[in-house]
Amino acid sequence: MKKLFMLFLIGFALNFQANSQEIVELTLEEALNFTLENNVDVKNAQLETLISKATIKETTASGLPQITGSLDLNYNPAIPVVFLPNEPPFGDPSIPGDVIPARFGVSFQSSLGVNVRQMIFDGSFFVGLRAAKTYKELTDLDKIKTENDAIEAVKKAYFGVLVNQERIRLAEANLARIDTLLNETRALNEAGFAEKMDVSRIQVQRNNTFSQLERSRTALEISEQILKLQMGLPMEYDVLITETLEELNPIEEINALLIDEGRERVEVSQLQTNIELVWLDLKNNQSQYMPTIDFVANGIRSGAGNSLGTVYDSQNWFGSSLLGVSMQIPIFDGLLKSAKIQRNRIQIQQLENQRYFLNESIKNEVYTAKANLQNELNILRVQRENLDLAKEVYDITKIKYQEGVGSNLEVVEADAALIEAEINYLTALYDGLVSKVDLERALGILKNDLLN
């Protein structure tokens, strides 16, 4: 399948350059696989998982040795003066004044150093590292949720295209049937066996059917644009669906869905992960009461000279180094950490309430989706029966009219009833497919067909 998409993308690039429009044949499975690779929201969710991986590396880096280097070169245009007391044994009584000015320093100074700091203990680091990994799990769940949303949208858009294609097919068949009846009635009118009003009545029916056909064509174009947008397919392409509504609505699969217990919904896992993140934030705030300990080390080489040329003479450079341990102990922060911990605990209570409500909502959603699907199946069965009856009534009415024992009005009414039955049947078929998708979402199995 991936090779197919790669060839498709290569073909797209070449054809786009040639400014030619191509037709892409799609099955539902191919449309869904293409969506998972090209839908904008799905791609952004995939990028978010990469950001979370980088966050883990960023957090880990703070616990590794931090090494910095420094290089300084300073020029003193005026060397500072230091005043010393003019007192024995170092003073000179012959010099007037009670202080002696002295300059300590040279015009140029330079230093080269390395500083190393290594964390020994910091409670928040380990909590933060675990939180970063938990955040990565959350972004993975967000990606799955985004994929589910995209699959649901594409399935419904795909079914919308199929319904509009079927509407066009039926409208064209109806138009051809009415044109035949209109021509026959005109011939009878010219021969004196039918009234002008009979021709006008059929012409009105013909005009209504033609308008319905044009509306269906416009609806098809719009539904195809929606499908391409949801899939991430460039608008320059046309789609050709090779399946029918009946093929995508097998009764065995629907009956299996009605007894399926479902899987754990990704929304539940998302909420559980959010609860874990708040717990980790609480632990991080609690860890702020503990001291932090760091190992520090540095080494410095310094040099100086009265001229720039002598600053970097090796005889003017001297070294120094330091090794130590630094500890910071929190004493009082105005009860800031206590307030944060209290806030975390309240947030956890809120999320626990949300989890309970979510579980109950999912149960209700599954029950409602199954009830709706069962109801749509019953409606579909009735509408299928109505369609067969409408066809039978139309055929009988037309035969009676042709044999002169029926009226033109009966034929027009039977034709209108047949068109209405066709529309009702298509609507019921589409509603059944949408209810099937809603039940798959409620059961948490939207991606099952793609994973098998």
Side-chain angles (χ1 to χ4, degrees):
M1 188 62 66
K2 290 185 177 180
K3 292 182 178 179
L4 174 63
F5 289 137
M6 185 60 66
L7 292 174
F8 169 77
L9 292 177
I10 293 175
F12 162 69
L14 295 175
N15 290 322
F16 182 78
Q17 292 177 357
N19 293 322
S20 61
Q21 193 165 4
E22 290 290 336
I23 298 177
V24 180
E25 293 188 7
L26 288 173
T27 64
L28 179 58
E29 183 178 356
E30 290 171 345
L32 295 178
N33 281 313
F34 186 90
T35 299
L36 294 181
E37 294 188 11
N38 297 276
N39 178 274
V40 173
D41 292 333
V42 173
K43 288 196 292 186
N44 283 338
Q46 292 170 347
L47 293 174
E48 191 65 32
T49 63
L50 298 180
I51 293 176
S52 65
K53 289 181 181 179
T55 302
I56 294 177
K57 295 180 180 179
E58 179 183 346
T59 305
T60 304
S62 64
L64 299 177
Q66 308 295 309
I67 304 174
T68 57
S70 61
L71 173 63
D72 296 322
L73 175 62
N74 299 317
Y75 168 64
N76 296 317
I79 299 173
V81 176
V82 177
F83 296 95
L84 303 176
N86 187 13
E87 297 177 356
F90 304 105
D92 185 356
S94 64
I95 300 176
D98 58 354
V99 296
I100 300 175
R103 293 183 184 273
F104 288 91
V106 293
S107 297
F108 294 92
Q109 292 177 319
S110 181
S111 66
L112 177 64
V114 176
N115 183 276
V116 179
R117 178 175 289 270
Q118 171 61 55
M119 181 190 68
I120 297 177
F121 176 79
D122 187 344
S124 63
F125 167 75
F126 300 101
V127 177
L129 185 59
R130 183 178 171 187
K133 294 179 179 178
T134 304
Y135 174 69
K136 169 63 170 59
E137 296 173 2
L138 181 62
T139 57
D140 290 339
L141 294 172
D142 290 343
K143 182 174 78 72
I144 295 174
K145 177 63 168 59
T146 303
E147 290 175 346
N148 286 338
D149 292 342
I151 288 173
E152 179 184 358
V154 168
K155 278 189 173 183
K156 291 181 179 180
Y158 188 91
F159 297 148
V161 173
L162 279 177
V163 166
N164 287 319
Q165 287 180 345
E166 187 66 16
R167 282 175 176 165
I168 290 175
R169 186 189 68 79
L170 291 175
E172 289 175 342
N174 293 336
L175 190 62
R177 184 178 67 244
I178 294 176
D179 282 340
T180 300
L181 179 61
L182 180 60
N183 292 332
E184 292 174 354
T185 306
R186 280 175 176 168
L188 291 174
N189 174 253
E190 292 173 358
F193 296 104
E195 298 180 2
K196 175 63 176 175
M197 184 177 61
D198 294 335
V199 177
S200 299
R201 186 181 293 119
I202 299 176
Q203 183 66 50
V204 170
Q205 184 72 3
R206 197 266 180 196
N207 292 342
N208 291 336
T209 304
F210 179 78
S211 299
Q212 181 65 39
L213 175 60
E214 291 300 307
R215 284 195 294 268
S216 297
R217 286 171 175 167
T218 301
L220 175 62
E221 293 176 359
I222 295 174
S223 61
E224 287 177 344
Q225 295 295 318
I226 294 174
L227 176 61
K228 289 187 288 185
L229 179 64
Q230 297 291 350
M231 288 175 55
L233 180 68
M235 294 297 173
E236 292 78 12
Y237 277 76
D238 285 335
V239 295
L240 176 62
I241 295 178
T242 58
E243 296 172 302
T244 64
L245 286 170
E246 288 79 3
E247 293 173 347
L248 296 171
N249 205 20
I251 190 63
E252 299 82 6
E253 182 179 339
I254 292 177
N255 289 333
L257 278 177
L258 290 173
I259 60 175
D260 198 321
E261 296 298 327
R263 313 290 183 272
E264 183 177 80
R265 290 268 293 271
V266 66
E267 292 89 342
V268 177
S269 300
Q270 284 178 307
L271 188 54
Q272 179 60 43
T273 306
N274 278 320
I275 293 175
E276 186 176 351
L277 283 172
V278 178
W279 270 110
L280 290 172
D281 190 29
L282 185 148
K283 290 182 178 180
N284 177 64
N285 289 325
Q286 290 175 335
S287 70
Q288 302 298 318
Y289 286 104
M290 295 184 290
T292 60
I293 305 174
D294 295 324
F295 167 78
V296 293
N298 63 61
I300 300 176
R301 292 279 293 174
S302 302
N306 282 320
S307 64
L308 184 60
T310 61
V311 171
Y312 295 102
D313 287 347
S314 59
Q315 61 183 2
N316 292 342
W317 277 73
F318 304 91
S320 64
S321 60
L322 178 145
L323 296 175
V325 175
S326 171
M327 176 184 292
Q328 294 183 345
I329 304 174
I331 297 177
F332 182 71
D333 63 354
L335 301 177
L336 175 63
K337 291 186 287 292
S338 176
K340 289 182 177 180
I341 291 172
Q342 184 179 5
R343 181 196 62 191
N344 291 145
R345 288 173 175 164
I346 296 174
Q347 289 174 332
I348 290 172
Q349 291 178 358
Q350 289 179 321
L351 292 173
E352 291 289 352
N353 292 336
Q354 290 180 19
R355 180 167 61 178
Y356 171 79
F357 182 76
L358 177 61
N359 287 326
E360 295 301 309
S361 297
I362 290 175
K363 293 178 184 178
N364 178 70
E365 190 176 339
V366 171
Y367 174 83
T368 302
K370 286 185 176 182
N372 286 339
L373 180 57
Q374 186 64 63
N375 183 59
E376 294 300 338
L377 288 177
N378 295 333
I379 293 175
L380 180 62
R381 192 179 302 112
V382 172
Q383 293 301 331
R384 179 73 232 188
E385 182 180 350
N386 284 346
L387 179 58
D388 293 337
L389 291 174
K391 287 180 179 179
E392 182 180 351
V393 170
Y394 175 81
D395 292 338
I396 294 174
T397 303
K398 186 176 180 183
I399 292 173
K400 289 175 61 179
Y401 175 70
Q402 290 173 340
E403 293 179 353
V405 294
S407 68
N408 171 273
L409 178 60
E410 291 177 339
V411 176
V412 173
E413 291 177 346
D415 183 80
L418 176 57
I419 293 175
E420 182 180 0
E422 290 172 342
I423 293 175
N424 291 339
Y425 173 71
L426 285 177
T427 301
L429 190 58
Y430 175 74
D431 290 342
L433 286 168
V434 170
S435 296
K436 176 172 171 284
V437 175
D438 290 339
L439 180 55
E440 290 173 344
R441 175 176 53 81
L443 294 173
I445 57 174
L446 272 172
K447 289 181 64 176
N448 273 17
D449 293 339
L450 300 178
L451 297 177
N452 293 332

